[in-house]
Amino acid sequence: MKKLIFFFSVLIFAAALPAETLYYYAEGRKITLTEDFSSYSFIRTKLTKANLVLPQSVKVLKSHKNISIIETADSSAKEYLVKNGSLFPAYIKDGAKVHVSGRIFVKIPGRPNAENAKKWCEKHGFNFIKQYKFVPDWYLVSFDGNPIKKAAELVESKTAEAAEPSFFVPLQKRAYIPNDPLFKNQWHLHNDGSNTSVSGSDHAHVAEAWEVLRAFKGNSGGKGIKLAIIDDGFDLDHEDFTGRFTAGYDFADDDDDPTYENNPRYPDYSDMHGTCCAGVAGAATNNGKGVAGACPECTLIPIRMDMMTYSLDSAAIESFEWAAEHGADIISNSWGPEDKGGAVDMNTTLKNLVANLTSTGRNGKGIIILFAAGNGEESIETDGFASNPNVFAIGATNAGGKRAYYSDFGPSLDFMAPSCDYSNNGYGDLIDGIWTIDNTGRDGYNIGQSSLGDKTGNYTNDFGGTSSACPLAAGITGLVLAANKDLSRDEIYQIYVETSDKVGDAGSYMNSFSNYYGYGRINACEAVKKALETAGKDVSQVTCGGTVINPGPIDDTDTDEPDTADTTDTTDTADSSDTADSSDTADTTDTTDTTDTADSSDTADTADSSDTTDTTDTADTTDTSDTQDTDDDKENCGNGFLDDGEECDDGNRIDGDGCSKYCMKEGKAALKSKGGCSLDLI
């Protein structure tokens, strides 16, 4: 009893002492951390009672399995927690606050298999958790003592080749949640300058890319391409996602259902971000409902990760591995370290994983991984996720072609994509909001108000931030891959370097690069055109924004046997390099990719090969009569413009899908005011 009293006395006394500085090693560098007693990690150990209840004075910020991140100033509560588990203060690392998880990433000498790794763990006082598939020399273990000190000890004693503690780091989604103007058009996909509600006529030229792909491929693009969205929850049953998803996973709840879990009675702007991002990347297109996605025929892989307050760093590793195992060609990430929260880097295991996936994934061509650059109006170099040299860091530009005021900048910025902005350098109203899918009804950002989107609450008109720019760039990457599936990750990067538009201040570019715009705003049409050219196609008569003359018959590779495109999923054969991990026979789960047989329904789109641009207008849900007129004798505007005497009869539809903005004569602007040619979701 005296020992126990003495221990508590020491604890209370220690809390009054100056913060201790600890350290560990990462990539040969000594990383120092300083204790911060504003919050704590409480870890339940084997000695913790199953029915343990935290004191009322303890505020729980985050719970994950046996770990809770808490705040408390009550010394008696701290004593109680120390008695019933392990209690560690927060730590300041490179200016950012992190919390230990009681776990350590370890490189065990000799890269043993799981069985022998368990024996090594038992010998050295650890509990084996897992060996990572795509970085098999890294293992995750748990430890009852201080994981920071133990990680340093393992390296200094040369017991392990490398060791780094696993942390909870503060993450936030790359989004703004504004509630202002109603936008009636997806200007980011196509912007002819007629929409006076936005700040200019800039856009990503996506509709033009669809036009080129229809001429050369017979579809709008993305068939056979798998695009993983790692985010919070998804509205898998949304009317505008029909047929868009393949099997996903929820690493927040550790189950196979990544559906959002927002409480409709008390909306708190949580668990709805993933739905919006997925909508920007791949909402169902040309279906007469809602909005259009950048990659109409990409298959979306929904992966839910815990995005509230703190997320365990190993969750990102698990999410990336799951995406790779299930055939992802592209991985979009609209999340990252907290803005203005100090420097936060990827742990070495995740760095190694990203490097491996982007070099050896997709049968050696490399998976394309994109990250939102961040919304802190600060240097991207403090963000070790977006600034990682193996990812595409995507910033945001507004409809005027200027950098959105909030968009992060710096040498590691790669490319820009259109998104929302605020007037008066962030002190005014929202401008250039992005229309996208929202959680159905009252579960999303739009709770069912016309000023927020549509009256049903199924769509929002004010999504934005680099959160929206990133999945837009990811969707465009799906179009580029659809144009030429043999392109490597590095070749796609170079295509964007060569074809992106040098928007913004021309004087800021040196050698085609700007710290504020990267290599420029991605131009989907020019990138697709370049990709077709690298595939041996004659694109000499293709003019982005104009008439497309296809010099030969449509390449029917993707249309006669749509499911054969899914053979690209054999990218998982790259796992053969991990044969040491014999336990990973679970890769046979990739047979779930047969869910892509739903693409067979897309064969109906082949009839729309002349439909060059009006896919963007399918969002005109208010004009439901448009979906009824599919008579074959309708003029289809195959040359892209109305001839003398022709009328836009609600409006002279291209194959029944609404009045195309290209299918207009100069001087017929009055017809647009009648609603036939504008996105109207009021």
Side-chain angles (χ1 to χ4, degrees):
M1 185 64 179
K2 290 181 180 179
K3 289 184 179 180
L4 186 61
I5 294 173
F6 175 76
F7 175 77
F8 288 147
S9 300
V10 170
L11 174 69
I12 296 171
F13 177 72
L17 292 175
E20 182 182 4
T21 298
L22 285 75
Y23 64 89
Y24 67 95
Y25 299 92
E27 301 177 283
R29 186 168 64 96
K30 191 174 184 179
I31 310 297
T32 59
L33 306 96
T34 303
E35 292 176 325
D36 181 325
F37 297 99
S38 62
S39 54
Y40 300 83
S41 294
F42 172 64
I43 303 173
R44 291 169 170 80
T45 65
K46 294 178 181 178
L47 300 177
T48 305
K49 296 180 180 179
N51 61 351
L52 176 74
V53 177
L54 297 180
Q56 290 186 347
S57 60
V58 171
K59 178 182 179 182
V60 178
L61 303 178
K62 177 73 180 177
S63 291
H64 178 82
K65 295 183 178 178
N66 66 320
I67 310 163
S68 297
I69 298 175
I70 64 168
E71 289 179 352
T72 183
D74 186 347
S75 58
S76 61
K78 295 175 188 176
E79 293 177 7
Y80 175 79
L81 295 175
V82 168
K83 182 179 178 181
N84 288 280
S86 296
L87 185 67
F88 301 100
Y91 295 91
I92 302 300
K93 175 178 173 285
D94 295 326
K97 184 162 69 171
V98 297
H99 296 82
V100 297
S101 66
R103 298 176 174 187
I104 306 175
F105 299 104
V106 182
K107 273 192 174 182
I108 299 177
R111 193 194 291 184
N113 60 24
E115 182 178 351
N116 288 329
K118 290 178 182 177
K119 294 178 180 178
W120 185 92
C121 287
E122 291 173 359
K123 178 180 177 181
H124 294 89
F126 300 108
N127 293 311
F128 174 85
I129 298 177
K130 66 168 56 180
Q131 179 182 22
Y132 288 106
K133 179 175 181 56
F134 290 94
V135 276
D137 49 345
W138 281 99
Y139 304 78
L140 182 64
V141 304
S142 64
F143 179 66
D144 287 342
N146 189 307
I148 300 173
K149 294 180 179 179
K150 190 63 176 179
E153 176 189 318
L154 287 172
V155 174
E156 291 174 342
S157 66
K158 298 184 179 180
T159 304
E161 296 177 21
E164 298 179 24
S166 170
F167 294 105
F168 283 90
V169 296
L171 296 181
Q172 69 178 31
K173 296 167 282 192
R174 299 296 196 209
Y176 282 85
I177 308 169
N179 57 8
D180 286 329
L182 174 64
F183 291 92
K184 299 181 181 180
N185 201 348
Q186 291 182 276
W187 64 269
H188 57 293
L189 301 178
H190 176 68
N191 185 1
D192 62 4
S194 64
N195 187 348
T196 58
S197 296
V198 296
S199 64
S201 57
D202 196 65
H203 56 121
H205 301 270
V206 175
E208 297 164 19
W210 294 341
E211 180 179 358
V212 173
L213 286 165
R214 281 182 178 273
F216 281 84
K217 292 286 188 177
N219 61 72
S220 296
K223 189 176 290 295
I225 305 302
K226 290 191 171 184
L227 196 169
I229 307 286
I230 298 177
D231 214 281
D232 61 11
F234 302 86
D235 188 348
L236 301 180
D237 298 322
H238 194 285
E239 62 177 5
D240 216 2
F241 276 141
T242 302
R244 304 301 295 121
F245 290 112
T246 187
Y249 199 82
D250 184 344
F251 285 99
D253 293 337
D254 290 327
D255 59 41
D256 59 3
D257 183 10
T259 301
Y260 72 94
E261 297 180 359
N262 189 43
N263 185 335
R265 293 186 60 187
Y266 306 101
D268 56 359
Y269 297 114
S270 63
D271 229 17
M272 56 188 75
H273 190 259
T275 295
C276 294
C277 291
V280 171
T285 302
N286 203 32
N287 66 344
K289 297 178 181 178
V291 296
C295 193
E297 298 181 55
C298 281
T299 297
L300 303 178
I301 304 176
I303 300 176
R304 182 172 181 254
M305 200 169 75
D306 201 327
M307 293 290 180
M308 290 301 294
T309 61
Y310 291 92
S311 184
L312 193 61
D313 51 11
S314 60
I317 299 171
E318 294 168 344
S319 298
F320 279 107
E321 286 212 323
W322 202 94
E325 285 183 303
H326 291 78
D329 301 292
I330 306 161
I331 304 176
S332 178
N333 305 275
S334 291
W335 50 272
E338 187 177 21
D339 290 327
K340 300 186 184 302
V344 176
D345 199 5
M346 290 182 177
N347 63 60
T348 308
T349 307
L350 182 56
K351 284 182 181 178
N352 291 172
L353 174 61
V354 168
N356 285 356
L357 294 182
T358 56
S359 60
T360 65
R362 271 198 320 129
N363 279 333
K365 297 182 182 70
I367 296 172
I368 301 92
I369 299 177
L370 303 92
F371 266 91
N375 302 325
E377 195 188 5
E378 60 186 333
S379 173
I380 195 175
E381 308 310 315
T382 64
D383 178 350
F385 293 75
S387 66
N388 184 288
N390 295 303
V391 311
F392 293 15
I394 309 299
T397 52
N398 59 32
K402 302 291 186 181
R403 181 179 71 90
Y405 95 93
Y406 52 78
S407 187
D408 288 356
F409 48 84
S412 296
L413 178 65
D414 295 306
F415 309 104
M416 309 296 277
S419 189
C420 79
D421 201 358
Y422 283 84
S423 62
N424 299 327
N425 291 322
Y427 294 98
D429 296 330
L430 174 99
I431 61 173
D432 305 340
I434 301 298
W435 274 83
T436 185
I437 294 175
D438 197 13
N439 287 350
T440 301
R442 296 179 60 85
D443 285 1
Y445 297 120
N446 177 9
I447 59 174
Q449 297 178 5
S450 296
S451 60
L452 302 178
D454 69 320
K455 289 182 178 179
T456 64
N458 295 346
Y459 303 89
T460 179
N461 61 15
D462 55 13
F463 193 56
T466 55
S467 272
S468 186
C470 183
L472 174 57
I476 292 171
T477 303
L479 302 182
V480 174
L481 269 182
N484 183 358
K485 293 173 183 171
D486 290 329
L487 290 169
S488 69
R489 176 263 183 207
D490 292 344
E491 287 170 333
I492 291 175
Y493 191 94
Q494 187 59 34
I495 284 176
Y496 285 154
V497 168
E498 296 176 11
T499 62
S500 294
D501 294 327
K502 301 298 184 278
V503 296
D505 180 8
S508 69
Y509 290 87
M510 295 184 64
N511 297 322
S512 298
F513 180 83
S514 165
N515 277 337
Y516 293 96
Y517 293 90
Y519 288 102
R521 192 254 307 120
I522 291 175
N523 185 318
C525 184
E526 294 293 350
V528 164
K529 179 180 172 182
K530 185 69 174 180
L532 288 167
E533 182 179 31
T534 61
K537 305 298 181 183
D538 180 3
V539 294
S540 60
Q541 297 190 72
V542 174
T543 302
C544 289
T547 302
V548 176
I549 301 176
N550 183 17
I554 289 176
D555 179 353
D556 60 0
T557 303
D558 296 330
T559 56
D560 287 347
E561 296 179 327
D563 292 335
T564 59
D566 288 338
T567 58
T568 57
D569 296 335
T570 58
T571 52
D572 287 336
T573 59
D575 296 340
S576 60
S577 62
D578 297 329
T579 53
D581 191 353
S582 57
S583 63
D584 283 320
T585 55
D587 282 346
T588 56
T589 56
D590 284 341
T591 56
T592 58
D593 293 336
T594 56
T595 56
D596 287 338
T597 55
D599 289 342
S600 59
S601 62
D602 292 333
T603 56
D605 290 340
T606 57
D608 293 4
S609 58
S610 62
D611 184 355
T612 57
T613 61
D614 62 332
T615 53
T616 57
D617 290 326
T618 58
D620 189 355
T621 57
T622 62
D623 194 0
T624 55
S625 61
D626 286 356
T627 60
Q628 305 300 319
D629 194 349
T630 57
D631 295 345
D632 292 336
D633 61 351
K634 283 288 183 187
E635 168 62 48
N636 65 9
C637 307
N639 63 0
F641 301 92
L642 289 172
D643 297 323
D644 288 339
E646 293 176 347
E647 295 293 329
C648 184
D649 58 32
D650 180 36
N652 194 12
R653 287 181 300 287
I654 293 180
D655 292 337
D657 296 313
C659 179
S660 167
K661 290 182 181 177
Y662 286 0
C663 196
M664 299 294 299
K665 279 187 64 177
E666 291 184 5
K668 296 229 176 179
L671 290 171
K672 298 182 182 181
S673 65
K674 296 179 181 179
C677 294
S678 65
L679 175 59
D680 189 3
L681 293 177
I682 299 177

